[in-house]
Amino acid sequence: MPSVRQHRLASLGYKIFGLCALGLAIIGAFLPVMPTVPFLLVAAWAFERGSPRLDAWLRHHPTFGPLLRDWRERGAIPLYAKLIAVVSMAASLALMWFGGAPLLVVLAVGAILIAVSAYLLSRPSA
């Protein structure tokens, strides 16, 4: 059974991890090459385990709260987020291809991006 000290240390680790993910999500809100939603989901996951106060704050945040509630309740992703993600992945793959990346790398990355795109598009839209 974990001691109180181990529990506090784990909570601190989750808080730090969540704050880092939240910081990356905020950066992603302003930089088009950086995703926002995946980092936001990671932050919510970490706060849920490490800080009820930060978890509640994030769930009730006017900007981020609705995205998280849609994801938790229905596994839904906003249509605009899906569109931006798929277009960004296609543009990244095109840049790799035209930038002269080795064919094997382009094919491997392309397969991964197709799988991620299929998953995103299979989710309900918020």
Side-chain angles (χ1 to χ4, degrees):
M1 182 146 188
S3 69
V4 172
R5 182 176 175 179
Q6 288 172 327
H7 178 71
R8 285 185 183 156
L9 189 58
S11 287
L12 179 62
Y14 281 121
K15 286 178 197 174
I16 291 169
F17 189 61
L19 288 170
C20 289
L22 181 60
L24 292 171
I26 291 169
I27 291 169
F30 296 101
L31 292 178
V33 296
M34 183 96 157
T36 300
V37 175
F39 289 116
L40 185 61
L41 294 174
V42 169
W45 172 84
F47 290 157
E48 188 174 34
R49 284 154 182 76
S51 175
R53 183 178 61 83
L54 289 172
D55 181 47
W57 172 79
L58 195 56
R59 279 186 288 115
H60 295 96
H61 190 276
T63 301
F64 299 133
L67 294 169
L68 291 172
R69 284 192 297 276
D70 285 340
W71 176 255
R72 284 182 177 171
E73 293 168 7
R74 301 181 300 126
I77 300 171
L79 188 57
Y80 72 87
K82 290 181 188 183
L83 180 64
I84 290 170
V86 171
V87 168
S88 297
M89 286 186 277
S92 297
L93 193 60
L95 284 173
M96 286 181 69
W97 174 259
F98 292 115
L103 181 61
L104 187 59
V105 171
V106 174
L107 292 175
V109 171
I112 292 168
L113 295 182
I114 288 170
V116 171
S117 295
Y119 176 76
L120 282 175
L121 296 173
S122 73
R123 303 288 83 212
S125 293

